[in-house]
Amino acid sequence: MRILALETSTSWCSVAIGDGRDWHERAVDAGNAHSTLLLPMIRRALAVADWPLSSLDAIAFGAGPGSFTGLRIGCGVAQGLALGSDRPVVPVGTLAEKLSSLTPEMK
């Protein structure tokens, strides 16, 4: 399954693209520049993977909690790309994702 994942809920702006086996990731400490960095980062990730947007199975985004403006940017970009490419959007709770990576001893 080919997925494009976006995370903008903190000062970091992150994009990952992969199929479950191979992943390409890019993250930068964007401060307040998510709106200028996110789309170029997505274009670059698609180019590195050599996939057109239409080949994705889904577009995921970090749904918070987090910065209100950052969440709106990530959600809006994910929804816009999904609408334009007829792909589903998958909101991922940021805390749920963080908790899922903990080992049983850490929980």
Side-chain angles (χ1 to χ4, degrees), residues 12-97:
W12 286 84
C13 185
S14 305
V15 172
I17 190 167
D19 60 8
R21 231 183 14 238
D22 297 316
W23 288 93
H24 305 282
E25 303 170 33
R26 173 96 168 116
V28 296
D29 190 353
N32 293 326
H34 294 81
S35 61
T36 58
L37 296 173
L38 188 56
L39 286 172
M41 289 173 68
I42 292 168
R43 275 191 221 101
R44 178 73 180 135
L46 289 166
V48 168
D50 196 25
W51 297 345
L53 186 62
S54 61
S55 74
L56 297 174
D57 294 302
I59 300 171
F61 73 96
S67 156
F68 180 71
T69 301
L71 292 170
R72 285 183 15 197
I73 291 167
C75 178
V77 168
Q79 288 179 334
L81 292 173
L83 182 64
S85 61
D86 194 30
R87 299 292 172 247
V89 175
V90 180
V92 178
T94 306
L95 287 178
E97 183 278 325

